[in-house]
């Protein structure tokens, strides 16, 4: 069984951003995700103005895994002539590894974009079987529109690693996976190997993002879930985060940030979100608190998780009732609007920044306030209460 990930696609770039007097230290295939839009993140970009001054140059090199390089040159305005105002999120000089990006419409992609808009260097990890399609889409420019940042430049991905976060090391991988043709041509894709590769390539990172999950029996009620399916959900969706942080912790710079993605089903009943996935999210939130203590004491790393509301993504559509959940959220949440993936991405950028330097061990709800509701106010029983509704 597998989670999410990527290849050794390389996109080289250099960025030059408005300087700041501060040094900055520092979501799932099953959790609901959505396509990000450029609309509302101008504040993320006001600390980093990047402009391309030459067309993309593409060169192909042969290796066990295909790689592609895009070279761009970045320019910046002078900090003397354009001082930064307010409290901008500036992650210039920081490096982020986002595990679980296999397309351009999930939370992981949106988080990568927000971090990039704030100036961070982006490394990705993609599930090995999805690697070729993801690489091909990047090479053909299929994601160019969704790579657009607020300043008009395109998000640059420095390197993409193949990753299957279900396996800690090569000894854990069964022979049927090793010989599976979907894994052919890829190497060093277990959690330990990827962490070692990142260390060899870059030395260290500042931000770790876990945006992956898998529940093979997610459509089954808990009473009909097998032991194998239940444990598989926990392995891919919660222990994978423990493993990622365990292996990456030695190379996360002190003061760094680690973020995962959870869902309200961890604490409330969401019929249809089954197969042990609600249990996996509850475990993830509990582990977040314990990891915050352990990683904080060992390396001064902050550990938080974002509980995101329902959004349309390919993974969410596979569950089968995402449209209904979005309608329910709009009808019952304090903020009557559809959540965008970029709002989750922006929250992750905040948690990764010094603005959140005292925040750790926290579940941050980014769901238009739906988590605060105790009843569904769209029920006919409340018709006589004259509850305010958004005017269209």
């Amino acid at each position: 069984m597998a989670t999410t990930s990527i290849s050794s696609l390389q996109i080289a770039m250099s960025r030059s951003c408005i300087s700041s007097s501060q040094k900055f230290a520092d979501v799932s295939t099953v959790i609901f995700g959505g396509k990000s839009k450029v609309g509302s993140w101008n504040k993320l970009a006001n600390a980093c103005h990047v402009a391309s001054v030459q067309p993309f140059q593409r060169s192909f090199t042969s290796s066990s895994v295909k790689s592609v390089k895009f070279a761009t040159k970045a320019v910046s305005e002078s900090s003397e002539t354009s001082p930064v105002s307010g409290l901008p999120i500036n992650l210039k000089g920081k490096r982020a590894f986002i595990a679980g990006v296999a397309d351009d419409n999930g939370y992981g992609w949106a988080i990568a974009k927000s971090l990039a808009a704030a100036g961070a260097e982006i490394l990705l990890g993609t599930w090995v079987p999805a690697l070729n399609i993801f690489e091909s889409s990047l090479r053909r420019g299929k994601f160019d529109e969704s790579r657009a940042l607020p300043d008009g430049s395109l998000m640059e991905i420095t390197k993409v690693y193949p990753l299957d976060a279900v396996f800690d090391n090569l000894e854990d991988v069964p022979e049927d996976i090793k010989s599976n043709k979907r894994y052919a041509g890829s190497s060093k894709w277990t959690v330990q190997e990827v962490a070692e590769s990142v260390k060899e390539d870059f030395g260290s990172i500042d931000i770790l993002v876990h945006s992956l999950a898998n529940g093979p029996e997610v459509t089954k009620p808990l009473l009909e879930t097998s032991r194998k399916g239940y444990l598989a959900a926990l392995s891919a969706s919660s222990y994978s985060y423990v493993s990622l942080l365990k292996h990456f912790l030695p190379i996360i710079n002190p003061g760094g940030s680690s973020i995962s993605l959870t869902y309200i089903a961890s604490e409330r009943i969401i019929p249809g979100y089954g197969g042990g996935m609600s249990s996996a999210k509850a475990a993830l939130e509990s582990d977040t608190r314990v990891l915050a203590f352990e990683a904080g004491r060992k390396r001064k790393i902050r550990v938080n998780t974002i509980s995101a509301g329902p959004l349309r993504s390919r993974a969410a559509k596979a569950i089968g009732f995402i449209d209904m959940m979005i309608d329910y959220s709009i009808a019952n949440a304090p903020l009557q609007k559809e959540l965008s993936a970029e709002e989750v991405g922006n929250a992750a950028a905040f948690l990764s920044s010094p603005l959140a330097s005292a925040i750790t061990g926290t579940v941050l709800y980014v769901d238009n306030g739906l988590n605060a509701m105790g009843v569904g106010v769209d029920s006919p029983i409340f018709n006589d209460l004259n509850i305010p509704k958004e005017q269209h």
Side-chain angles (χ1 to χ4, degrees):
M1 188 191 88
T3 53
T4 6
S5 22
I6 211 160
S7 97
S8 94
L9 164 70
Q10 296 188 345
I11 306 174
M13 85 159 193
S14 62
R15 286 200 178 115
S16 179
C17 303
I18 298 174
S19 62
S20 170
S21 60
Q22 294 176 296
K23 297 267 185 185
F24 286 7
D26 278 317
V27 135
S28 78
T29 58
V30 166
I31 191 170
F32 300 134
K35 188 160 186 172
S36 68
K37 301 176 182 176
V38 174
S40 68
W41 0 320
N42 292 332
K43 289 186 179 179
L44 280 173
N46 64 7
C48 182
H49 176 76
V50 180
S52 175
V53 297
Q54 64 182 22
F56 286 129
Q57 299 172 344
R58 303 185 180 187
S59 62
F60 295 83
T61 59
S62 61
S63 64
S64 61
V65 183
K66 298 185 294 294
S67 67
V68 181
K69 294 183 178 180
F70 293 85
T72 67
K73 187 175 180 180
V75 297
S76 68
E77 299 179 32
S78 168
S79 59
E80 287 80 23
T81 59
S82 302
V84 176
S85 61
L87 287 173
I89 295 178
N90 186 343
L91 298 175
K92 180 190 175 185
K94 303 304 177 184
R95 182 177 296 116
F97 182 88
I98 301 100
V101 180
D103 57 40
D104 66 338
N105 76 342
Y107 283 138
W109 181 271
I111 291 172
K113 285 185 66 176
S114 291
L115 295 177
E121 181 180 13
I122 303 300
L123 312 177
L124 299 180
T126 299
W127 185 41
V128 185
L131 182 60
N132 288 336
I133 295 176
F134 186 80
E135 285 187 314
S136 176
S137 296
L138 280 171
R139 284 197 305 271
R140 292 187 288 110
K142 183 178 179 181
F143 298 151
D144 283 359
E145 181 179 353
S146 56
R147 285 172 59 205
L149 297 178
D151 65 356
S153 65
L154 298 182
M155 174 177 68
E156 298 297 339
I157 303 169
T158 301
K159 187 164 184 176
V160 184
Y161 293 85
L163 171 67
D164 192 329
V166 165
F167 305 108
D168 295 335
N169 51 58
L170 194 59
E171 290 71 30
D172 291 341
V173 183
E175 288 301 322
D176 63 320
I177 294 294
K178 291 180 181 178
S179 60
N180 192 308
K181 64 180 181 180
R182 296 194 297 172
Y183 287 74
S186 296
S187 62
K188 297 182 178 180
W189 43 259
T190 64
V191 176
Q192 179 180 334
E193 291 173 309
V194 173
E196 290 172 349
S197 295
V198 172
K199 180 180 180 180
E200 181 179 348
D201 293 340
F202 300 98
S204 65
I205 64 172
D206 303 279
I207 305 165
L208 177 67
V209 178
H210 176 278
S211 177
L212 54 86
N214 187 30
E217 299 181 16
V218 66
T219 59
K220 291 184 178 181
L222 190 57
L223 283 174
E224 297 176 16
T225 299
S226 68
R227 181 185 296 270
K228 181 179 179 181
Y230 185 94
L231 295 178
L234 264 71
S235 174
S237 309
S238 52
Y239 184 77
S240 59
Y241 184 44
V242 176
S243 179
L244 272 173
L245 189 52
K246 171 185 176 181
H247 289 94
F248 274 85
L249 189 63
I251 67 169
I252 302 178
N253 292 319
S257 174
S258 183
I259 300 168
S260 64
L261 289 166
T262 185
Y263 182 52
I264 193 65
S266 63
E267 53 186 287
R268 305 290 173 85
I269 300 169
I270 307 292
Y273 193 76
M277 280 304 303
S278 58
S279 305
K281 293 303 180 183
L284 182 66
E285 293 179 15
S286 177
D287 291 344
T288 293
R289 291 183 282 272
V290 177
L291 293 171
F293 174 77
E294 295 182 359
R297 291 298 181 95
K298 286 185 177 181
R299 297 279 297 175
K300 301 187 187 312
I301 306 301
R302 293 177 292 109
V303 182
N304 295 290
T305 188
I306 295 174
S307 183
L311 281 137
R312 291 180 179 88
S313 71
R314 293 184 183 94
K317 289 177 182 177
I319 299 175
F321 60 97
I322 182 61
D323 291 334
M324 179 182 69
M325 290 304 298
I326 290 173
D327 291 342
Y328 178 86
S329 178
I330 293 173
N332 293 286
L335 300 178
Q336 287 190 276
K337 63 182 181 63
E338 186 168 342
L339 187 69
S340 71
E342 72 180 86
E343 290 174 306
V344 175
N346 291 347
F350 162 72
L351 287 175
S352 301
S353 78
L355 300 180
S357 60
I359 300 175
T360 193
T362 293
V363 178
L364 177 63
Y365 296 95
V366 185
D367 63 356
N368 289 322
L370 186 63
N371 71 92
M373 298 303 298
V375 296
V377 295
D378 61 344
S379 171
I381 199 171
F382 296 110
N383 284 346
D384 296 334
L385 291 186
N386 194 28
I387 295 174
K389 297 181 180 180
E390 184 180 30
Q391 300 299 316
H392 297 284

